[in-house]
Amino acid sequence: MANFSGLDSSSPLYGNSIRSTARLRDRRRRVFNYLERKEQELEQLRMDCEHFKARLETVQADSRREKKEKLALRQQLNEAKQQLLQQAEYCTEMGAAACTLLWGVSSSEDVVKAILGGDKALKFFNITGQTMESFVKSLDGDVKELDSNENQFVFALAGIVTNVAAIACGREFLVNSSRVLLDTILQLLGDLKPGQCTKLKVLLLMSLYNVSINLKGLKYISESPGFIPLLWWLLSDPDAEVCLHALRLVQSVVLEPEIFSKSASEFQSSLPLKRILAMAKSRNPHLQTVAQELLEDLRALEHDA
């Protein structure tokens, strides 16, 4: 029987044709499947892209919101800093004014008694020591304006201590109840560099001299670690007033036999005699007088020995 295509089914050409058609169909099917997979992958990529785009928009929105919030917080912080600065300046100015007034009236014995009779006296002197210590630490070699409120505040505090120590009951209070303040004063005198903040040095030295009038006070000060080297350190200061009050404190030790006998060896072995001799020839009459008196006191002690 003949095939309508004209090819005999037993013919090799017919077999080849069948196989070629099958291969073509198989190839088409693979291509179709491949295209279908790629289309699915492309669709997945589109979906991923939309997802990441949505996430990006969310993150960008969050970022814009956070930036706005940070800007608002930064503005609030700046405003708070400005307010704190204004409050600090106000408190310093008020403290300077109030303590300057108190410094003036504390030269009266009745006022000193009234101050010490209150229940805030100890707290006041503790705060005084802390304030002076913070001030000296903040100097760090820097010279602050002499007429600044901060300087006046600290000088007034030191002046109040000096006036309180000038009264017998004041000395007794400082020695018995406020030794931390005395320790702080000794420390600050050692921390301040030669020529630095001389007004504060003078006031602190005057406070110690006034305390030294009390035998218990002199004993406590003189037994403080490093006291003798501190005296010689202060005598090296270029300011005549500082040297003058340091010499007066040295005199307090020298003129009290009970105190001097405990430190006589260290005192005599490290005494800056050349420096004191130079002061005895100073053009400053007060410094010259005190230096000459000290030299005479030392000669008398040497003669008695």
Side-chain angles (χ1 to χ4, degrees), residues 158-170:
I160 294 168
V161 176
T162 300
N163 285 348
V164 169
I167 309 298
C169 63

Side-chain angles (χ1 to χ4, degrees), residues 73-137:
L73 288 173
R74 190 176 293 112
Q75 290 175 340
Q76 292 176 11
L77 180 60
N78 290 335
E79 289 174 2
K81 285 181 178 179
Q82 188 63 31
Q83 290 176 359
L84 285 173
L85 181 61
Q86 291 174 353
Q87 290 175 3
E89 289 175 350
Y90 171 78
C91 291
T92 302
E93 187 175 357
M94 175 61 74
C99 288
T100 299
L101 291 173
L102 186 57
W103 183 8
V105 299
S106 63
S107 58
S108 165
E109 184 173 355
D110 291 337
V111 171
V112 171
K113 288 180 178 179
I115 292 172
L116 300 180
D119 59 354
K120 297 295 184 181
L122 182 58
K123 186 173 183 179
F124 172 79
F125 288 112
N126 286 338
I127 293 174
T128 294
Q130 293 166 7
T131 303
M132 292 192 297
E133 186 175 12
S134 296
F135 173 78
V136 171
K137 285 181 178 178

Side-chain angles (χ1 to χ4, degrees), residues 7-262:
L7 292 175
D8 185 352
S9 59
S10 61
S11 170
L13 292 175
Y14 178 79
N16 291 338
S17 176
I18 295 296
R19 285 192 293 273
S20 296
T21 301
R23 283 196 297 270
L24 181 60
R25 287 175 181 172
D26 184 58
R27 187 178 301 167
R28 285 177 180 174
R29 187 173 54 256
R30 287 200 304 271
V31 169
F32 178 79
N33 291 339
Y34 174 79
L35 291 174
E36 189 175 17
R37 284 198 310 273
K38 290 302 177 183
E39 188 175 347
Q40 290 174 352
E41 291 175 3
L42 184 60
E43 182 62 26
Q44 184 62 46
L45 287 173
R46 288 196 192 99
M47 292 174 62
D48 291 344
C49 183
E50 291 297 325
H51 173 69
F52 289 125
K53 184 179 179 182
R55 287 187 60 185
L56 175 62
E57 290 174 352
T58 302
V59 170
Q60 287 177 332
D62 291 343
S63 177
R64 286 192 295 270
R65 186 179 66 255
E66 289 178 1
K67 284 181 179 178
K68 190 174 181 180
E69 291 174 352
K70 285 181 180 179
L71 179 61
L73 288 173
R74 190 176 293 112
Q75 290 175 340
Q76 292 176 11
L77 180 60
N78 290 335
E79 289 174 2
K81 285 181 178 179
Q82 188 63 31
Q83 290 176 359
L84 285 173
L85 181 61
Q86 291 174 353
Q87 290 175 3
E89 289 175 350
Y90 171 78
C91 291
T92 302
E93 187 175 357
M94 175 61 74
C99 288
T100 299
L101 291 173
L102 186 57
W103 183 8
V105 299
S106 63
S107 58
S108 165
E109 184 173 355
D110 291 337
V111 171
V112 171
K113 288 180 178 179
I115 292 172
L116 300 180
D119 59 354
K120 297 295 184 181
L122 182 58
K123 186 173 183 179
F124 172 79
F125 288 112
N126 286 338
I127 293 174
T128 294
Q130 293 166 7
T131 303
M132 292 192 297
E133 186 175 12
S134 296
F135 173 78
V136 171
K137 285 181 178 178
S138 71
L139 290 175
D140 193 25
D142 206 17
V143 180
K144 299 195 174 185
E145 298 177 25
L146 292 177
D147 58 349
S148 71
N149 287 322
E150 187 179 4
N151 279 29
Q152 186 57 38
F153 185 21
V154 173
F155 294 162
L157 288 172
I160 294 168
V161 176
T162 300
N163 285 348
V164 169
I167 309 298
C169 63
R171 290 191 288 273
E172 196 69 24
F173 176 87
L174 292 174
V175 173
N176 292 329
S177 304
S178 195
R179 292 188 174 185
V180 173
L181 176 59
L182 298 180
D183 293 339
T184 299
I185 290 174
L186 289 164
Q187 175 195 324
L188 297 182
L189 285 170
D191 291 342
L192 287 167
K193 300 173 184 176
Q196 185 184 39
C197 219
T198 55
K199 185 174 181 179
L200 179 60
K201 276 186 185 176
V202 168
L203 288 168
L204 296 179
L205 281 166
M206 290 173 67
S207 298
L208 290 180
Y209 175 77
N210 288 342
V211 169
S212 74
I213 296 173
N214 180 297
L215 182 58
K216 196 186 329 182
L218 179 59
K219 184 175 185 295
Y220 181 78
I221 294 171
S222 63
E223 291 177 355
S224 296
F227 177 67
I228 300 300
L230 174 63
L231 290 177
W232 307 155
W233 161 257
L234 291 167
L235 288 179
S236 68
D237 198 281
D239 186 82
E241 282 291 302
V242 172
C243 293
L244 170 63
H245 292 284
L247 281 177
R248 293 180 67 196
L249 193 54
V250 173
Q251 273 190 307
S252 291
V253 176
V254 170
L255 294 176
E256 186 54 57
E258 180 185 343
I259 303 299
F260 182 71
S261 61
K262 295 180 180 179

